[in-house]
Amino acid sequence: MDRNQATGLILIALLLMGYFYFFAPDPKPSNEQFPSDSLVVKGPAESEIESDTVSTIEESDSLTNLKHQQQYGIFAAGATGADKIFTLENENIKVDLSSKGGKISKVELKNFETYYHEPLILLDEESNNFSLLYNDNGRNIDLNTLYYTPSTSSNGDTTIVTYSLNLGGGKSIQHIYSLGPDSYQVKYHMELKGLSQQNGQLTYVWDDDLKTQEKDLKLSRTNTNINYYLGSEDFDELNARSSGTQTEEIQEPVKWIAIKQRFFVSAIIAKNHFSTAKLQTSFTEQDTSKVKNANVTTTIPIADLEKGKGDFSYYFGPNDFHILKNVTPDFESNLYLGWPPMKWINRFVIIPLFDLLSSFISNYGIIIIIMVLLIKLVLSPLSYKSYLSMAKMKVLKPELDEIKEKHGDDMTKAQQEQMKLYSKVGVSPLSGCIPMLLQMPILFAMFTFFPQSIELRGKSFLWAEDLSTYDSIFHLPFEIPFYGDHVSLFVLLMTMSTILYTWSNQQVSSVQGPMKSVSYFMPIIFLFVLNSYPAALSFYYFVSNLVTFAQQAIIRKFVDEDKIRVIMDENKKRNANKKKSKFKLRLEEAMKASQQQQQKPKKKKIKIFKNTLRLL
C-alpha cells in the first residue's frame, strides 16, 4: 500500500466516525415497567447462568448443613439464628437474657454504683461466660452457644422468658427464666426431652472475671472468694487471703455455690443438688481492672432434667445479712462475721443495735458514737473492776519493789514471795486482766463488722468520703512497706489516743521494766495495720478511747487509794495465821520443782567447768 492509499483509508475512517457521531438516530425511550414479582423471560444464555447460581447456593447450603451436622450432631438445628436480647427488670435488678445460648448476658444492680460513680454491672459478656456441656458420642456440645426461640409471658407481677429449641424426633431443650417484684433472685428452670443418657451428666461451667468496683483493691481481693454449702449446716470456702491459685474438688452433692465479693454476691442455688463441683480462684497482682477470676465447674444429672427437676435460682445482690438469710439455708454465712464468740456478738448484739439506731438516725458517724456510748455503759462494771484492780496493784507497788530488790537474782523466789503477799492482802493479779479479756470479743467483733457492713458503703462523715474504706488526708508520692501510700487521719487520732490511754494506765499499774515499753508497741503496730482499713473502724476505736478517758476520770472519783490501803492491811492481819489452801500448796510445790530443775543444769555446768580446770 502506497502513501496515497493509506491517506485515503484514514480519511474514509474519519468520515464514517463523524457521520455516526453527528448523524446517528437517538434510541427511543421505553415506558415499559416490570413489577418486582413479574416473570421475566430470559434468553437461553441467561437461563443457563441463573441455573448455575441456584445450584451453587444449594450446594453451599448443603455443605453448611453437613458441617453443622458434623459439629453439633443432633443439635444442628440450633447452629444458626438471630441473637435477641430480652430484659427482666424490677426495682432492684436488671437482667439481660440472650437468645444465643438462652443464658444471662448482663446483670446490673440498680440501687448501687461503683466507687467511681458508674453503674454497678455485676457481670456482662466481656467479663463472664456460662457454658452447658453435653457429651454427644464423645463430643462436648456447649448448649449455651446454640440459638433458641424466645417467648415471653407473665404470672401476676412475675415476668417469664422462655427459650426453646426443637431438635426434632421428640427432642427439645428449654431454658425458662423468671423474676418477681422486689427480688434479687432470678428463677431458672432447665428441661431436656429425649436426650437422656445412662448415668449422663451435664457439665455446668461459670467463668467470671470480677470487675474492680471499690477503692481499695487489696482489701477487695482478701474479701473475694468462692463459698459453698453441702447441706446439714456444712458451709465451707476457699482460702480468700491466698495470693496464688486456689482449687478445690468436691466429690459429694452441693446445694449452692456463691462467688462472694466484699459487698456483693453472685450465686447459683440448686433445688435438689449438684452432683460434684470443682472451684478455683486466681488473680494477677498487676491487673487492677479485675479483682479475681472465679471458675465454677459442676455436674448436673441429666435424668433430673428429663424429669422436669432442673430447678435452680441465681442470686445477684448485696452481701446484706437481712437479705441473705431469706434466700436459702445458711446463705447468710456469705457475710463473714468472725469466729465464735465474735460471730455471735455481731449477729445477736451489734447488727440489731446498728439496725435500731439506723432506723431513726441517718448519719452513720453519729450512729457509731452512740454505739460506743451504749456499749461502754453496759461494760462499765467490768471497767470499774479493772481500774480497781490496777489501783490495788499501785498501792502494793512499794512492797513488790522491795521483794524484787531482795530476790533480784532468784526469779522463782521473788515470784513465791509475791504470791504470798497477794494471798495475805486478798488481791489477785489476774483480777485486772479478766475484765479486760471479757471486753476483747467486742473489740474484735467490730474488727470484722465494719469492713463487711454494706450499709456504710458510700456514706460520708467529716473528712471521710466513704466510711467503708480508708480516709486519706494526704497521698504519698511513694509507698511505705506495710503502711501504704496515703495517710489516714482517723488512724493517726486513734494511735495518739491509744498511746495516751496506755500512759494513763501505767500511772496506776505496777508494770515495770521492758514490759512498760512493750505496751507502747501495740499502738504503733495498729497504726500500720489499720491505715488501709475502713474509716468507720478506726473512728470507732478513737471514740472508744475518748469515752474510756472520761469513764476512768469518773471512776477515779469513786476509788480511794487510802481506803484500799487500810483494807489490805486488815486482810494481811486476818490472813497472817491462815492455813494455806490445797491449791496454793500445790502451786508452791510446782514452783519449787521448777526452781530445782533450773538449778540442776547450773550445778552440772559448774562441775564440768571445775573438771576442765583440773585437766588444764
Side-chain angles (χ1 to χ4, degrees), residues 420-573:
K420 287 180 183 178
L421 178 62
Y422 293 145
S423 178
K424 287 179 181 179
V425 298
V427 173
S428 172
L430 298 177
S431 59
C433 300
I434 293 174
M436 291 298 295
L437 289 174
L438 292 175
Q439 297 181 57
M440 290 303 289
I442 294 179
L443 294 176
F444 287 129
M446 295 300 180
F447 196 81
T448 55
F449 170 74
F450 284 116
Q452 308 295 329
S453 179
I454 194 172
E455 290 85 357
L456 297 172
R457 188 175 185 270
K459 305 299 181 181
S460 61
F461 182 69
L462 298 178
W463 57 84
E465 58 179 356
D466 188 343
L467 286 170
S468 70
T469 187
Y470 58 82
D471 62 300
S472 178
I473 59 166
F474 185 71
H475 188 80
L476 301 173
F478 51 86
E479 184 170 344
I480 300 174
F482 307 107
Y483 182 75
D485 58 357
H486 63 274
V487 177
S488 169
L489 181 55
F490 276 137
V491 175
L492 285 178
L493 293 173
M494 183 211 69
T495 302
M496 289 187 290
S497 63
T498 306
I499 291 173
L500 184 60
Y501 171 70
T502 303
W503 175 83
S504 176
N505 277 348
Q506 289 187 355
Q507 303 309 304
V508 292
S509 70
S510 60
V511 178
Q512 295 293 325
M515 287 302 297
K516 193 170 184 178
S517 302
V518 168
S519 58
Y520 287 103
F521 289 158
M522 288 305 296
I524 305 301
I525 292 172
F526 276 104
L527 172 67
F528 285 82
V529 172
L530 297 181
N531 191 59
S532 294
Y533 267 71
L537 180 64
S538 50
F539 177 63
Y540 175 89
Y541 288 153
F542 169 61
V543 175
S544 180
N545 286 340
L546 295 182
V547 174
T548 302
F549 289 142
Q551 203 173 40
Q552 287 191 350
I554 295 170
I555 293 172
R556 197 174 287 119
K557 292 184 178 181
F558 295 93
V559 176
D560 188 344
E561 293 183 3
D562 294 333
K563 191 175 181 180
I564 292 173
R565 177 77 263 180
V566 171
I567 294 172
M568 284 185 175
D569 290 339
E570 290 177 357
N571 290 338
K572 189 183 294 185
K573 293 175 182 177

Side-chain angles (χ1 to χ4, degrees), residues 131-134 188 190 192 199-205 268 270 272-277 297-306 309-312 314:
S131 299
L132 281 171
L133 304 178
Y134 178 94
Y188 173 47
M190 178 169 46
L192 305 183
N199 300 322
Q201 301 280 347
L202 191 68
T203 303
Y204 169 91
V205 181
I268 184 166
N272 293 327
H273 60 265
F274 300 101
S275 300
T276 60
T297 303
T298 67
T299 53
I300 307 169
I302 294 178
D304 287 353
L305 306 180
E306 287 276 353
K309 296 181 180 179
D311 292 312
F312 307 88
Y314 285 98

Side-chain angles (χ1 to χ4, degrees), residues 6 77 94 108 198 225 240 247 252 265 269 278 288 352 367 374 379 393 450 473 476 528 564 602:
K94 181 179 179 182
E108 178 183 349
Q198 186 176 2
N225 203 10
T247 305
E252 55 184 306
V265 178
I269 305 155
K278 181 180 179 181
T288 58
I367 290 174
L374 292 175
L379 297 176
M393 297 300 291
F450 284 116
I473 59 166
L476 301 173
F528 285 82
I564 292 173
K602 291 181 181 179

Side-chain angles (χ1 to χ4, degrees), residues 207-393:
D207 190 73
D208 193 2
D209 285 334
L210 302 168
K211 294 182 175 182
T212 301
Q213 299 161 347
E214 310 302 329
K215 178 181 179 180
D216 192 342
L217 178 58
K218 185 177 180 180
L219 190 60
S220 295
R221 280 176 172 164
T222 56
N223 284 277
T224 297
N225 203 10
I226 297 180
N227 301 332
Y228 59 93
Y229 182 68
L230 304 177
S232 302
E233 300 184 359
D234 196 358
F235 170 86
D236 210 341
E237 60 186 343
L238 301 188
N239 183 6
R241 294 185 174 274
S242 174
S243 59
T245 300
Q246 290 294 300
T247 305
E248 186 160 350
E249 294 189 19
I250 307 163
Q251 300 299 325
E252 55 184 306
V254 182
K255 186 68 178 177
W256 56 258
I257 300 169
I259 300 174
K260 175 252 175 185
Q261 302 179 59
R262 184 183 171 197
F263 291 121
F264 303 100
V265 178
S266 303
I268 184 166
I269 305 155
K271 186 175 181 180
N272 293 327
H273 60 265
F274 300 101
S275 300
T276 60
K278 181 180 179 181
L279 314 174
Q280 180 175 289
T281 59
S282 61
F283 69 92
T284 304
E285 187 74 36
Q286 295 75 21
D287 188 357
T288 58
S289 64
K290 62 183 180 182
V291 181
K292 280 185 180 180
N293 171 266
N295 185 277
V296 175
T297 303
T298 67
T299 53
I300 307 169
I302 294 178
D304 287 353
L305 306 180
E306 287 276 353
K307 296 174 183 176
K309 296 181 180 179
D311 292 312
F312 307 88
S313 65
Y314 285 98
Y315 174 85
F316 301 109
N319 196 15
D320 188 322
F321 178 80
H322 309 90
I323 299 173
L324 298 180
K325 67 180 181 179
N326 297 319
V327 174
T328 193
D330 212 25
F331 201 66
E332 67 273 14
S333 293
N334 284 299
L335 181 65
Y336 179 69
L337 297 176
W339 293 94
M342 282 78 76
K343 181 179 180 179
W344 304 327
I345 293 171
N346 274 323
R347 183 165 184 172
F348 300 112
V349 178
I350 304 302
I351 291 178
L353 176 61
F354 190 84
D355 292 341
L356 176 65
L357 295 174
S358 59
S359 64
F360 57 87
I361 300 175
S362 59
N363 189 309
Y364 284 89
I366 302 299
I367 290 174
I368 292 171
I369 293 172
I370 296 174
M371 285 180 67
V372 172
L373 292 173
L374 292 175
I375 291 171
K376 284 292 184 181
L377 181 63
V378 172
L379 297 176
S380 56
L382 294 176
S383 300
Y384 176 79
K385 285 185 176 294
S386 179
Y387 185 87
L388 185 61
S389 176
M390 287 190 294
K392 290 178 180 179
M393 297 300 291

Side-chain angles (χ1 to χ4, degrees), residues 162-179:
T162 302
Y163 290 101
S164 304
L165 177 58
N166 189 356
L167 304 173
K171 297 179 176 67
S172 64
I173 309 172
Q174 272 195 335
H175 304 279
I176 304 172
Y177 296 90
S178 62
L179 178 65

